[in-house]
């Protein structure tokens, strides 16, 4: 069985399925985020760099905030202590919310000491502005550096992960450290959906290629955040919980043709 949500190292919970919102802007963004929440998505993934905080804010104000897990990310150029605090406060204003469920360092920036960035993140947790903190695009050596100086726990690493592009060693490291792993671009930006192995599996399981990729990520133990601008695909991408891929077929998908 795959999990519907994961417990983070700080005791909070993250839903295993979220809506990715990169490249969603304007009225399409508000429409899709609203429909997603109405359909049962409980987790929305955004970032300062996506330029859609205000659109998402106009949608979430009409729902019970406590039912939505909201993630945003601070840009790598803003990892100085003061910039993190300033950008987080601006993001909260844009999103029209008093807190983020999860705030991530979007990309590592080795020219700024991780201690300085984490000091700001720790304060944001202490002030209740972020419930959980995490990172994105961190390799094992970045994580090792961060774990050595963490006070509040680093709970999540969001990285590219799909059958054509994944780092099993990084996944194993995160799972050993109890850092929840989020798969971004889990559909390979739709470019892997015509792959022969994926299509054969889709036929075998009477599912779509997208569902095979998402289910493969879930069975690897990852949170998935597929993006779509289509209502039909929102529904399709949710239908990944009550069936499973055999361990033999998981191995076949591990190295698609
Ligand atoms: P993705 O989710 O792998 O793929 C999105 C593409 O797949 C879109 O072109 C979409 O087209 C299409 N698609 C969605 N569902 C489909 C379905 N059921 N059948 C066929 N095509 C489908 O790519 P992504 O947007 O790069 O990644 C997902 C999210 O991860 C992002 O939106 C963002 O929130 C996050 N992300 C994070 C980082 C980071 O650095 N942390 C980097 C990249 C992405 P339509 O819109 O036309 O449906």
């Amino acid at each position: 069985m795959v999990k519907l949500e994961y417990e983070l190292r700080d005791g909070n919970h993250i839903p295993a399925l979220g809506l990715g919102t990169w490249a969603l802007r304007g009225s399409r963004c508000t429409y899709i985020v609203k429909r997603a929440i109405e359909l049962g998505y409980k987790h929305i993934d955004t970032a300062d760099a996506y330029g859609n905080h205000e659109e998402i804010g106009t949608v979430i104000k009409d729902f019970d905030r406590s039912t939505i897990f909201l993630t945003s990310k601070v840009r790598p150029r803003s990892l100085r202590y003061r910039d993190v605090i300033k950008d987080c406060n601006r993001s909260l204003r844009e999103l029209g919310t008093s807190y983020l469920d999860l705030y991530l360092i979007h990309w590592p920036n080795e020219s700024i000491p991780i201690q300085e960035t984490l000091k700001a993140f720790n304060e944001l947790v202490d002030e209740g502005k972020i419930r959980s903190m995490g990172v994105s695009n961190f390799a094992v050596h970045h994580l090792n550096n961060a774990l050595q100086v963490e006070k509040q726990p680093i709970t999540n690493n969001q990285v590219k992960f799909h059958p054509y592009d994944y780092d099993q060693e990084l996944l194993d490291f995160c799972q050993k450290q109890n850092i929840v792993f989020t798969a971004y671009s889990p559909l390979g930006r739709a470019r892997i959906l015509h792959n022969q192995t994926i299509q054969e599996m889709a036929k075998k399981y009477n599912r779509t290629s997208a569902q095979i990729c998402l289910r493969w990520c879930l069975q690897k133990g990852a949170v998935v955040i597929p993006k779509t601008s289509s209502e039909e695909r929102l529904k399709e991408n949710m239908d990944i919980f009550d069936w499973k891929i055999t361990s033999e077929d998981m191995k076949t998908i591990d190295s698609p043709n």
Side-chain angles (χ1 to χ4, degrees):
M1 284 298 286
V2 296
K3 293 183 177 173
L4 289 175
E5 60 176 29
Y6 291 90
E7 183 169 348
L8 298 168
R9 285 173 74 213
D10 58 11
N12 294 325
H13 290 81
I14 181 170
L17 170 68
L19 173 69
T21 66
W22 177 71
L24 278 176
R25 296 267 179 89
S27 56
R28 180 54 29 182
C29 179
T30 47
Y31 178 74
I32 284 295
V33 173
K34 181 168 181 283
R35 282 303 291 139
I37 297 171
E38 287 168 354
L39 286 166
Y41 282 73
K42 296 178 179 4
H43 170 182
I44 307 294
D45 182 81
T46 181
D48 192 17
Y50 301 171
N52 59 16
H53 279 165
E54 285 176 2
E55 288 95 320
I56 292 171
T58 61
V59 176
I60 62 173
K61 72 173 177 12
D62 293 332
F63 292 89
D64 175 355
R65 177 69 185 83
S66 68
T67 62
I68 299 166
F69 188 98
L70 183 61
T71 302
S72 190
K73 316 180 191 86
V74 62
R75 295 171 194 255
R77 67 171 186 231
S78 295
L79 299 185
R80 289 279 173 207
Y81 170 84
R82 276 192 191 180
D83 294 333
V84 175
I85 302 286
K86 187 163 64 99
D87 284 15
C88 182
N89 284 323
R90 177 176 47 73
S91 293
L92 290 172
R93 279 197 302 279
E94 290 168 356
L95 286 158
T97 183
S98 60
Y99 70 93
L100 292 167
D101 293 277
L102 179 61
Y103 198 40
L104 304 178
I105 298 174
H106 203 151
W107 286 87
N109 177 348
E110 288 174 18
S111 66
I112 299 176
I114 187 75
Q115 291 95 320
E116 178 174 344
T117 308
L118 292 183
K119 181 172 183 281
F121 271 67
N122 288 331
E123 282 186 23
L124 291 167
V125 173
D126 291 342
E127 289 170 7
K129 292 184 174 173
I130 63 178
R131 297 256 163 110
S132 297
M133 59 191 242
V135 297
S136 177
N137 298 297
F138 270 42
V140 170
H141 72 278
H142 297 120
L143 284 170
N144 268 324
N145 287 343
L147 287 169
Q148 272 174 26
V149 295
E150 70 171 4
K151 291 204 173 74
Q152 299 285 354
I154 291 160
T155 64
N156 180 243
N157 189 18
Q158 184 181 120
V159 298
K160 192 196 289 179
F161 191 85
H162 59 71
Y164 258 127
D165 190 350
Y166 70 100
D167 181 343
Q168 186 67 44
E169 195 192 330
L170 180 61
L171 175 65
D172 293 343
F173 178 86
C174 289
Q175 290 179 338
K176 198 164 156 222
Q177 297 291 338
N178 201 19
I179 295 172
V180 170
F181 193 88
T182 298
Y184 79 61
S185 304
L187 307 173
R189 299 209 163 144
R191 288 194 283 266
I192 64 168
L193 301 180
H194 296 291
N195 168 267
Q196 194 189 333
T197 305
I198 305 290
Q199 288 199 330
E200 281 167 11
M201 290 294 166
K203 201 166 172 199
K204 175 171 176 180
Y205 286 89
N206 199 19
R207 299 281 163 181
T208 65
S209 291
Q211 289 170 330
I212 294 291
C213 292
L214 296 173
R215 180 72 201 190
W216 177 88
C217 292
L218 288 182
Q219 285 185 219
K220 286 275 184 182
V223 170
V224 288
I225 49 169
K227 171 261 172 184
T228 183
S229 51
S230 138
E231 185 168 347
E232 277 316 301
R233 288 169 173 174
L234 277 178
K235 293 180 195 155
E236 179 183 330
N237 294 348
M238 292 176 81
D239 189 7
I240 52 175
F241 288 98
D242 60 355
W243 55 280
K244 71 175 187 185
I245 301 171
T246 64
S247 49
E248 198 183 321
D249 288 338
M250 282 293 289
K251 284 194 195 116
T252 305
I253 301 169
D254 281 353
S255 349
N257 293 322

